[in-house]
């Protein structure tokens, strides 16, 4: 196969971790006879520096003309004083919207070699952590109307949260179809005891559950879900929820696995093109010091090969190489443990390439 991949190196540690992921992808392409062509795209802080805006139209077009997009990280204190519509994170929201990416799929998997790094009690960890959060990505309060105005002598801020049936149905189908390839269990998270949007969400999900009769289905309120993820994460297989709840719960889920540096994610819409990125931030405090953990980005590249390009064997080979490196006891600083050997970003990449 020949694929064109838009590469957003981004800000902070982004260029370092993306470089290691591209090395791994090139090695996989050589091993399996593929050709990957890369197109660099500016988005986030670097785009603000170059163009004065977080995602220029021409840069978005590069992404739309590619088979998929690999992203490092965006943002940092350098741009914190920018107006809200010019901040680096707005580039990410515009990219998701422009690409029509409505489903963010984030695995929460505890690698057994990192069990001691989980903040949960050993008896909870021993039951296993392996679920995925399917988050609606381009609706809800993040994309609603936002306004701040003067009212009765003080400022009043309003953020509008809305969902339509088709938005809920399409993310629900992603969840049920994902569960069909896993352990056949969907838990839908909402706040139906308070919010009209959640009541509509639950109504649509119940309708879908009847259609997917082979999938076990249940509802859970978001506050209870936050507790249950910490109390007994083994009960979950596929969690599906709206944008803001998913943003919060997926971050919680990532922390119980020991290191956010290990967690990949994908954002998908119609068709095979997707956006693949690690879940962590740009970590400007360690940028340029060869200390970053590239594994989340490397596993994001593996997800791209699997979900966008149907390269299951290639993705499995990358995951197996990561597993071998962890078995060997190599650790970056974020997941360092007694008896292991500390390595930097590039050396971690070298080790994964060796086993690949």
């Amino acid at each position: 196969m020949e694929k064109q991949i838009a590469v957003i190196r981004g800000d902070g540690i982004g260029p370092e971790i993306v470089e290691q992921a591209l090395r791994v992808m090139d090695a996989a392409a050589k091993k399996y006879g593929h050709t990957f062509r890369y197109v660099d795209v500016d988005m986030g802080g670097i785009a603000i520096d170059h163009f004065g805006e977080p995602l220029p139209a021409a840069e978005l077009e590069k992404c739309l003309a590619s088979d998929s997009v690999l992203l490092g990280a965006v943002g940092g204190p350098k741009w914190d004083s920018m107006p809200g519509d010019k901040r680096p994170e707005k580039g990410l929201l515009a990219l998701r919207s422009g690409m029509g990416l409505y489903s963010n799929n984030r695995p929460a998997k505890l690698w057994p070699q990192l069990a001691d790094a989980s903040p949960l009690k050993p008896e909870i960890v021993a039951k296993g952590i392996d679920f995925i959060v399917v988050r609606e990505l381009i609706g809800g309060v993040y994309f609603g109307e936002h306004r701040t105005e003067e009212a009765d002598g003080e400022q009043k801020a309003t953020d509008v949260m809305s969902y339509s049936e088709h938005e809920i149905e399409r993310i629900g189908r992603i969840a049920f179809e994902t569960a069909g390839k896993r352990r056949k269990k969907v838990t839908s998270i909402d706040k139906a005891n308070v919010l009209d949007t959640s009541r509509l969400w639950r109504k649509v999900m119940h309708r879908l559950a009847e259609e997917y009769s082979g999938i076990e289905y249940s509802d859970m309120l978001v506050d209870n879900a936050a507790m249950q993820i910490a109390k007994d994460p083994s009960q979950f297989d596929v969690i599906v929820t709206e944008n803001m709840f998913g943003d919060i719960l997926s971050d919680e889920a990532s922390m119980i696995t020991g290191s956010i540096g290990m967690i990949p994610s994908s954002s998908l819409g119609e068709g095979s093109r997707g956006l693949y990125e690690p879940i962590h931030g740009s970590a400007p405090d360690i940028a340029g010091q060869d200390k970053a953990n590239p594994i989340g980005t490397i596993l994001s590249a593996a997800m791209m090969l699997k979900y966008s390009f149907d390269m299951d064997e290639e993705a499995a080979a990358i995951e197996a190489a990561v597993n071998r490196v962890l078995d060997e006891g190599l650790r970056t600083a974020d997941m360092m443990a007694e008896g292991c050997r500390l390595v930097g970003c590039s050396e971690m990449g070298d080790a994964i390439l060796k086993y690949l």
Side-chain angles (χ1 to χ4, degrees):
M1 285 188 179
E2 182 173 333
K3 297 292 184 181
Q4 176 173 301
I5 300 165
V7 178
I8 303 174
R9 301 174 191 269
D11 311 314
I13 61 172
E16 302 166 63
I17 56 179
V18 167
E19 184 61 30
Q20 299 310 313
L22 296 183
R23 292 176 68 204
V24 170
M25 289 185 68
D26 284 339
K30 182 178 180 180
K31 180 175 181 178
Y32 291 95
H34 306 303
T35 299
F36 297 145
R37 293 181 291 108
Y38 305 119
V39 176
D40 281 310
V41 174
D42 280 351
M43 192 268 281
I46 191 172
I48 294 172
D49 291 346
H50 289 172
F51 304 106
E53 55 182 307
L55 183 64
E59 301 301 288
L60 174 59
E61 285 301 317
K62 294 179 185 178
C63 296
L64 297 176
S66 298
D67 294 300
S68 265
V69 181
L70 180 66
L71 167 64
V74 297
K78 178 180 178 181
W79 303 281
D80 281 351
S81 61
M82 299 293 295
D85 62 340
K86 297 292 185 181
R87 290 175 63 89
E89 296 78 11
K90 280 293 184 180
L92 182 56
L93 295 178
L95 180 63
R96 292 168 176 167
S97 181
M99 292 180 65
L101 306 176
Y102 57 80
S103 173
N104 179 251
N105 310 306
R106 184 185 293 188
K109 176 181 178 181
L110 178 66
W111 294 73
Q113 301 93 332
L114 302 179
D116 290 343
S118 173
L120 301 182
K121 294 179 179 180
E123 56 267 31
I124 297 175
V125 172
K127 296 171 68 175
I129 302 173
D130 184 9
F131 62 94
I132 186 168
V133 179
V134 177
R135 166 191 169 193
E136 200 288 321
L137 201 56
I138 58 174
V141 70
Y142 290 175
F143 285 84
E145 179 187 356
H146 309 287
R147 66 178 183 272
T148 302
E149 56 194 353
E150 292 288 337
D152 299 324
E154 63 179 355
Q155 287 195 319
K156 177 183 177 182
T158 303
D159 300 290
V160 177
M161 179 179 184
S162 66
Y163 271 105
S164 59
E165 287 184 273
H166 81 275
E167 291 175 307
I168 301 169
E169 180 174 335
R170 66 187 181 184
I171 193 67
R173 290 194 183 279
I174 293 286
F176 280 101
E177 290 169 10
T178 299
K181 300 175 183 178
R182 292 173 51 92
R183 301 195 305 277
K184 296 180 171 54
K185 182 178 180 180
V186 168
T187 306
S188 176
I189 308 300
D190 59 39
K191 191 64 176 172
N193 58 337
V194 176
L195 302 176
D196 273 10
T197 50
S198 285
R199 284 188 275 272
L200 178 61
W201 182 281
R202 187 171 290 200
K203 177 181 177 181
V204 174
M205 287 295 171
H206 284 190
R207 188 168 68 221
L208 284 174
E210 293 180 3
E211 183 177 335
Y212 291 89
S213 58
I215 306 296
E216 179 185 348
Y217 175 84
S218 61
D219 301 301
M220 186 176 290
L221 295 176
V222 64
D223 40 358
N224 185 32
M227 292 186 287
Q228 293 300 323
I229 287 173
K231 181 181 178 181
D232 182 17
S234 68
Q235 69 185 282
F236 297 112
D237 178 25
V238 174
I239 287 174
V240 61
T241 191
E242 63 86 40
N243 203 343
M244 183 170 65
F245 296 162
D247 190 6
I248 297 167
L249 293 180
S250 59
D251 279 354
E252 180 191 10
S254 68
M255 283 308 300
I256 66 174
T257 63
S259 172
I260 62 172
M262 293 289 297
I263 309 296
S265 74
S266 66
S267 298
L268 305 171
E270 302 297 337
S272 62
R273 182 177 57 220
L275 170 65
Y276 297 84
E277 58 180 314
I279 68 164
H280 58 71
S282 62
D285 56 318
I286 60 170
Q289 300 176 39
D290 195 38
K291 293 181 179 180
N293 184 351
I295 293 180
T297 315
I298 290 170
L299 292 175
S300 296
M303 287 185 75
M304 177 190 295
L305 299 187
K306 181 174 182 178
Y307 292 108
S308 284
F309 302 158
D310 292 324
M311 299 180 183
D312 291 2
E313 185 178 354
E314 294 85 335
I318 293 173
E319 292 170 357
V322 170
N323 194 62
R324 291 285 299 276
V325 166
L326 296 178
D327 279 343
E328 193 177 315
L330 301 186
R331 303 286 190 270
T332 47
D334 60 299
M335 54 181 181
M336 186 59 184
E338 186 177 352
C340 296
R341 184 166 73 86
L342 180 65
V343 299
C345 183
S346 58
E347 189 175 354
M348 181 63 80
D350 291 342
I352 293 171
L353 283 174
K354 179 181 70 173
Y355 286 118
L356 181 61

